[in-house]
Amino acid sequence: MSDIIDTEEIDRDTVDVEVLEQQFKNKYKLLTETAVSLTKSYINKLHGNKSLKLAVSQSDNSIEVYQLNNSSLTKVCRLSGHAKGLTEVVCDPKEEHQIYSSGLDGVLKLWDTRTSGSCVQEYKDEEEELLRPYECMDVSHNGRVMCAGSQLVEDDAYLVFWDQRVTKPLGGYWNSHTDDITQVKFHQTRMDILATGSLDGLVNIFNVMEQTEDDALMYSLNVENSTEKLSWLDEKHVACITQSNDLQLWNTDNGDMVKSFTRDKVARSIKRSKGDDCYLVDMYSSIDDSAVLLAGSYGGDGHVLRSVTIEEKKLYPSTNFSHNKQTVRCCWYDKDRDLLVTTGESGLISVWTSGECAENGTISKKLSSSMKQLQVKRHKPY
């Protein structure tokens, strides 16, 4: 075997450290970090709210809730109760103490962190004998409507809707997707617009106020790949990350693809040499309304994490998260505070803030001020 030479390419930076520093000009610093468990834990779901409560899913199907105060993370409670796999965690956009979750047990749960993390409501279809394992869910921006997407069940994949006040479903769609539904995302400011993604290679845009499924389906976008992540970037643009780590941007006003970026293209943009080791985390709209893609590399210790912005249909280096310590699986961004939270395969919750805020201490002032405002302007349950 000694005559066999290993010629496999090793992923590495394509530029030296000084050039990386120059090109990734948007600096973020690690504000705080905590491990959710003393044992090895894998986090693949994360969500937060305006009061900076952070909910993360663990590999044992439980949810850990943390509160970010100034520059520290404090554990609030642990939520557990799904009989089968936990698939999604969503913080209520209006009620800071409420968290939703979906599971393969066909149930959506509403949790209240004020009651030691107890489940205060379950949403399911009592009249339906067929179990619908839910792969994903979302809540409309006003907290009134919920939608869950199911796996394929006897040739049908279901989108099921609930009024937040009623445990019985409002109704559902089951003709628009032909395989497991992996993502449902309500529009950022409109409760009637919903984007859904599936293993069937389609991203569908619905107006859920229409009376029938056929009328509700506005566009069926052929991404020609399975959907891993969907993100609304603004009023009309949706980003789709595929399961092969490609990125597509779509205009939901006319159903046209704006631009697509292959995995290799993204790898080159974050200055890595091997496309096969590149992975895409998610997209979000930053504090200056730039479209930001967070991506990393499995190469080496798997700790490379960088972001790029999309401007004029091109990728430009933005931030190098040099103190990252894990392969990142999900992120959550607070646009008001320019705060990024990442979690991943090492069970760490990492909070990043812009370098300017970290240096002059304004992040603590912003957090303290926002907490006081939330206490004054607390929403009543709908």
Side-chain angles (χ1 to χ4, degrees):
M1 300 294 289
S2 60
D3 58 334
I4 298 178
I5 300 175
D6 186 3
T7 59
E8 183 179 356
E9 178 190 355
I10 299 174
D11 187 42
R12 56 173 61 89
D13 286 335
T14 57
V15 296
D16 59 31
V17 175
E18 290 76 14
V19 176
L20 276 178
E21 185 72 15
Q22 293 171 2
Q23 294 192 355
F24 290 86
K25 297 178 180 179
N26 193 16
K27 307 302 180 185
Y28 277 76
K29 293 194 174 182
L30 186 61
L31 178 67
T32 187
E33 187 172 68
T34 191
V36 298
S37 174
L38 295 176
T39 59
K40 188 174 182 180
S41 182
Y42 185 111
I43 299 173
N44 64 356
K45 298 296 178 183
L46 159 71
H47 203 243
N49 61 23
K50 293 300 181 183
S51 68
L52 295 180
K53 275 192 176 63
L54 304 172
V56 298
S57 68
Q58 291 209 81
S59 47
D60 64 356
N61 297 326
S62 66
I63 302 168
E64 297 282 354
V65 183
Y66 284 80
Q67 178 70 57
L68 176 61
N69 293 302
N70 295 329
S71 59
S72 64
L73 285 163
T74 305
K75 184 174 177 177
V76 177
C77 61
R78 182 176 185 269
L79 315 175
S80 181
H82 280 284
K84 295 184 179 180
L86 174 71
T87 56
E88 194 67 82
V89 177
V90 180
C91 293
D92 190 295
K94 295 297 184 182
E95 292 299 319
E96 62 175 291
H97 300 291
Q98 294 184 351
I99 296 171
Y100 294 91
S101 63
S102 62
L104 298 180
D105 51 7
V107 179
L108 270 59
K109 290 180 179 285
L110 171 60
W111 310 85
D112 193 323
T113 59
R114 294 169 296 187
T115 57
S116 300
S118 62
C119 177
V120 295
Q121 192 70 272
E122 287 191 349
Y123 301 87
K124 54 186 175 181
D125 193 347
E126 299 283 4
E127 299 176 1
E128 179 60 61
E129 295 181 2
L130 200 63
L131 174 68
R132 301 189 189 112
Y134 293 123
E135 282 282 352
C136 53
M137 71 161 293
D138 198 19
V139 182
S140 62
H141 78 283
N142 57 8
R144 295 187 178 184
V145 181
M146 299 174 295
C147 178
S150 82
Q151 293 180 354
L152 192 67
V153 180
E154 294 187 359
D155 298 325
D156 290 317
Y158 293 85
L159 290 165
V160 185
F161 298 89
W162 285 267
D163 182 319
Q164 184 264 351
R165 302 164 297 181
V166 184
T167 60
K168 183 179 178 180
L170 292 169
Y173 304 152
W174 52 87
N175 293 321
S176 299
H177 284 296
T178 58
D179 209 334
D180 296 359
I181 298 170
T182 55
Q183 288 277 278
V184 293
K185 294 292 179 182
F186 278 100
H187 192 276
Q188 296 170 332
T189 59
R190 295 178 58 181
M191 65 174 288
D192 57 332
I193 303 300
L194 177 74
T196 65
S198 169
L199 298 183
D200 61 10
L202 298 178
V203 169
N204 289 331
I205 309 298
F206 294 96
N207 181 342
V208 300
M209 299 304 290
E210 296 291 344
Q211 295 298 311
T212 67
E213 182 174 355
D214 286 343
D215 291 338
L217 183 59
M218 300 166 61
Y219 292 105
S220 192
L221 313 175
N222 187 7
V223 301
E224 299 181 347
N225 205 324
S226 299
T227 298
E228 181 71 22
K229 293 276 182 70
L230 286 180
S231 307
W232 285 96
L233 299 177
D234 54 30
E235 289 294 310
K236 64 180 181 180
H237 291 106
V238 164
C240 174
I241 293 176
T242 71
Q243 291 192 353
S244 58
N245 284 285
D246 298 323
L247 171 66
Q248 299 181 15
L249 303 179
W250 291 83
N251 185 327
T252 62
D253 278 355
N254 55 26
D256 291 340
M257 182 190 288
V258 177
K259 185 67 177 178
S260 64
F261 301 95
T262 64
R263 187 182 197 177
D264 287 341
K265 180 77 172 179
V266 175
R268 291 195 296 272
S269 72
I270 64 170
K271 308 306 175 186
R272 299 296 288 185
S273 63
K274 190 176 180 182
D276 287 347
D277 280 345
C278 178
Y279 67 87
L280 280 57
V281 181
D282 209 342
M283 281 205 73
Y284 57 90
S285 179
S286 70
I287 193 169
D288 61 358
D289 293 325
S290 298
V292 179
L293 170 65
L294 191 65
S297 171
Y298 298 118
D301 56 13
H303 295 172
V304 171
L305 182 68
R306 291 165 187 166
S307 68
V308 293
T309 57
I310 300 177
E311 301 171 28
E312 298 179 350
K313 301 182 181 181
K314 293 183 179 180
L315 299 175
Y316 293 93
S318 180
T319 302
N320 181 24
F321 298 89
S322 57
H323 294 288
N324 179 57
K325 305 179 185 71
Q326 64 184 335
T327 298
V328 171
R329 285 302 174 199
C330 44
C331 68
W332 177 76
Y333 181 72
D334 183 351
K335 191 172 184 177
D336 293 335
R337 303 178 183 90
D338 195 14
L339 201 71
L340 179 68
V341 184
T342 59
T343 58
E345 295 187 5
S346 296
L348 297 173
I349 302 175
S350 307
V351 182
W352 310 85
T353 186
S354 60
E356 181 180 347
C357 289
E359 287 175 4
N360 60 28
T362 57
I363 184 65
S364 296
K365 296 175 184 177
K366 283 184 178 180
L367 293 181
S368 299
S369 174
S370 62
M371 293 302 165
K372 291 177 182 177
Q373 290 177 3
L374 279 165
Q375 291 172 5
V376 172
K377 300 179 180 180
R378 181 169 294 171
H379 296 276
K380 294 182 179 179
Y382 172 69

